[in-house]
Amino acid sequence: MSVHKVTRFNQIVSAFLVVGDIAILNSLFGFSGCLLENYMDCSLFTHDIRLSMVLITLCYLVCSAGFGVVLADRVIRPDQIVRHIVKVLVAHCLLFVFALQVWDNHQYNLSGFFLLCYYPLATLLLIGFRLVFRSIIKAYRKSGRNTRCVVFVGCASNMEELFHQMTDDPTSGYRVLGYFDNEPAEGGACGVPYLGGVSDIVPYLQKHGAHYLYCCLPSKRSDEILPIVNYCENNFVRFYSVPNVRRYLKRRMVMELMGDVPVLSIRREPLSQIENRLLKRAFDLVFSLAVLCTLFPFIYIFVALVTKITSPGPVFFKQKRSGQNGKVFTCYKFRSMKVNGEADKLQATKDDPRKTRFGDFLRKSNIDEIPQFINVLMGDMSVVGPRPHMLKHTEEYSALIDKFMVRHWVKPGITGWAQVTGFRGETKLVAQMEGRVRKDIWYIENWTFLLDLFIIYKTLHNAICGDKKAY
């Protein structure tokens, strides 16, 4: 299939998906309006429902343009489709409600209950529509249609792995025509035909054509690479450079530009973007102030009275801990143990004799952590992030666990992804701390504001329902 035919096919698929999504959203909206009016004795709108459907369509077109259509991608997982639909509909909900408020001239009677019913149903319908259509496209490509022709330049081991990624799943629609190199590779390069030397690439493309060209030649051969790049740019062939880093890095990397110099970054960090840091800090300030100005005074009075009556010593426990970029800060907690000389050396255990009876309650209910909202307000901590460790443990585990210090690239949190996914409490084995570090790094690489809200919800849920690792 020619480049123009493949492009046209993908455009048709994208257009069909957008029209299908709009049809589903409007049909569900109209059906819901009729249901409310006929069976629940209330009207969704007191005027023409067609205007609201126009708003739904316009809002969807804006959101779709912002997030794109991922279904036409050659290699995509079902969970990526689901996440994409959720992102689009969350944005659509916010934009649609805003549009109604702007347009509001007392003709709308849209309730929060309706939105809570409409958008989950819309999400399920759109996900089902996308997954069914995706299976149809995969079957279509498996039959040999809508294929993309690929040629390789160079035959390093990473190109062999790329070949398998493209062709092991026949529904991806890739057809590797062969490879170019100065001489044929030993062993036949996984059965991929040898097409000639690097100087033969342009004549071959002029005669046979291709959609994609993947090149893994080293940069020192730039005199040979540049004519290939120029030909591809001028003849609708997508050129991709494959960095030869597979031997020591087998993970996703991010391309960045430092001036005009391309640089590969090992990991994507959403919180490296200023707008995300501002959003997270704004939420930290609002949330911590809300807690400190409402709940904290009453909790402090109660905890201080009981602590002073049941155990001699201060109300607060202060400890030096490792913060962002290794900065040491003073972490505040309600004291849950008897005053002892091992507080900065030993973790709390399940039946720790140092704990007081009231302190055991404080730890299980997470109330002992509430003073850390002072740390959040001061900027040393965040509401959500990797839990801070005492200095002794940071020193010990950084020597034992690879990438342990990566978790210190963001502010530590009162709660975190590791704590709500089974890695809370004592770490008797190094493997337990390794699991916690993996969870923390995953959080750093996949941060979103909605993820923070989910972690807060899970923390509150565990505090109310109980957590067997809370001690």
Side-chain angles (χ1 to χ4, degrees), residues 427-442:
T427 50
K428 295 180 180 179
L429 304 174
V430 174
Q432 292 174 309
M433 183 58 77
E434 288 175 340
R436 180 181 293 183
V437 170
R438 283 196 300 271
K439 294 289 186 178
D440 289 336
I441 292 177
W442 184 91

Side-chain angles (χ1 to χ4, degrees), residues 273-321:
Q273 300 176 17
I274 183 65
E275 62 270 21
N276 290 336
R277 292 202 303 273
L278 289 174
L279 174 62
K280 189 171 176 65
R281 182 59 182 154
F283 176 78
D284 285 343
L285 288 173
V286 172
F287 198 88
S288 59
L289 281 172
V291 172
L292 292 173
C293 293
T294 55
L295 298 176
F296 183 76
F298 301 100
I299 294 174
Y300 172 77
I301 293 171
F302 169 71
V303 172
L305 286 174
V306 178
T307 299
K308 287 294 185 181
I309 293 172
T310 59
S311 174
V315 176
F316 289 113
F317 171 69
K318 303 176 185 178
Q319 186 178 63
K320 297 292 184 182
R321 297 200 177 184

Side-chain angles (χ1 to χ4, degrees), residues 154-156 160 179-189 192-198:
C155 193
E160 293 186 17
Y179 73 98
F180 296 88
D181 210 340
N182 287 345
E183 57 185 27
E186 296 181 5
V192 183
Y194 175 68
L195 301 176
V198 175

Side-chain angles (χ1 to χ4, degrees), residues 65-279:
F67 288 99
V69 179
V70 302
L71 195 65
D73 293 350
R74 293 275 153 178
V75 180
I76 185 170
R77 301 187 307 273
D79 62 288
Q80 292 174 310
I81 295 175
V82 172
R83 285 201 302 269
H84 179 264
I85 291 297
V86 171
K87 288 178 183 178
V88 170
L89 287 185
V90 168
H92 185 277
C93 178
L94 297 175
L95 186 60
F96 181 52
V97 172
F98 175 76
L100 289 180
Q101 295 300 320
V102 171
W103 197 272
D104 184 21
N105 56 1
H106 305 292
Q107 68 178 7
Y108 293 111
N109 185 30
L110 186 61
S111 68
F113 173 75
F114 171 78
L115 293 176
L116 289 175
C117 295
Y118 174 75
Y119 276 101
L121 282 174
T123 302
L124 292 176
L125 289 174
L126 291 190
I127 289 173
F129 171 61
R130 291 296 183 95
L131 292 178
V132 169
F133 197 76
R134 177 68 180 173
S135 64
I136 295 173
I137 293 178
K138 291 178 71 173
Y140 184 73
R141 287 173 177 164
K142 189 175 182 179
S143 67
R145 300 176 181 179
N146 187 232
T147 56
R148 288 288 179 104
C149 296
V150 179
V151 293
F152 291 159
V153 181
C155 193
S157 57
N158 56 347
M159 299 299 275
E160 293 186 17
E161 187 166 331
L162 181 61
F163 168 77
H164 286 295
Q165 292 292 330
M166 287 182 166
T167 59
D168 285 353
D169 181 6
T171 64
S172 64
Y174 288 109
R175 185 161 66 93
V176 179
L177 302 176
Y179 73 98
F180 296 88
D181 210 340
N182 287 345
E183 57 185 27
E186 296 181 5
C190 302
V192 183
Y194 175 68
L195 301 176
V198 175
S199 61
D200 299 320
I201 295 173
V202 172
Y204 178 90
L205 293 176
Q206 289 173 337
K207 184 177 180 180
H208 300 282
H211 300 105
Y212 298 143
L213 184 147
Y214 289 83
C215 176
C216 74
L217 296 181
S219 57
K220 65 182 180 181
R221 299 176 65 177
S222 58
D223 291 342
E224 298 174 90
I225 298 172
L226 282 175
I228 302 171
V229 174
N230 292 333
Y231 178 84
C232 291
E233 291 282 279
N234 293 313
N235 293 274
F236 305 103
V237 180
R238 302 283 185 180
F239 179 92
Y240 294 93
S241 179
V242 183
N244 207 0
V245 296
R246 175 182 167 274
R247 292 183 183 275
Y248 59 93
L249 284 176
K250 292 185 179 181
R251 54 170 298 131
R252 177 182 296 177
M253 290 181 290
V254 182
M255 175 70 78
E256 299 175 352
L257 280 177
M258 186 172 291
D260 294 328
V261 181
V263 179
L264 287 175
S265 174
I266 290 179
R267 60 175 46 84
R268 171 183 171 269
E269 297 172 54
L271 288 174
S272 65
Q273 300 176 17
I274 183 65
E275 62 270 21
N276 290 336
R277 292 202 303 273
L278 289 174
L279 174 62

Side-chain angles (χ1 to χ4, degrees), residues 379-448:
D380 295 321
M381 293 179 65
S382 178
V383 176
V384 181
R387 285 292 296 156
H389 290 292
M390 64 179 75
L391 303 184
K392 183 176 184 293
H393 281 172
T394 300
E395 182 181 353
E396 290 177 351
Y397 285 120
S398 62
L400 294 173
I401 300 175
D402 187 34
K403 301 180 180 65
F404 179 83
M405 296 306 293
V406 172
R407 65 194 302 278
H408 295 91
W409 288 2
V410 297
K411 288 182 182 180
I414 297 175
T415 184
W417 181 243
Q419 280 62 47
V420 300
T421 52
F423 286 91
R424 179 182 175 175
E426 184 185 9
T427 50
K428 295 180 180 179
L429 304 174
V430 174
Q432 292 174 309
M433 183 58 77
E434 288 175 340
R436 180 181 293 183
V437 170
R438 283 196 300 271
K439 294 289 186 178
D440 289 336
I441 292 177
W442 184 91
Y443 169 81
I444 292 171
E445 295 178 344
N446 295 274
W447 178 89
T448 64

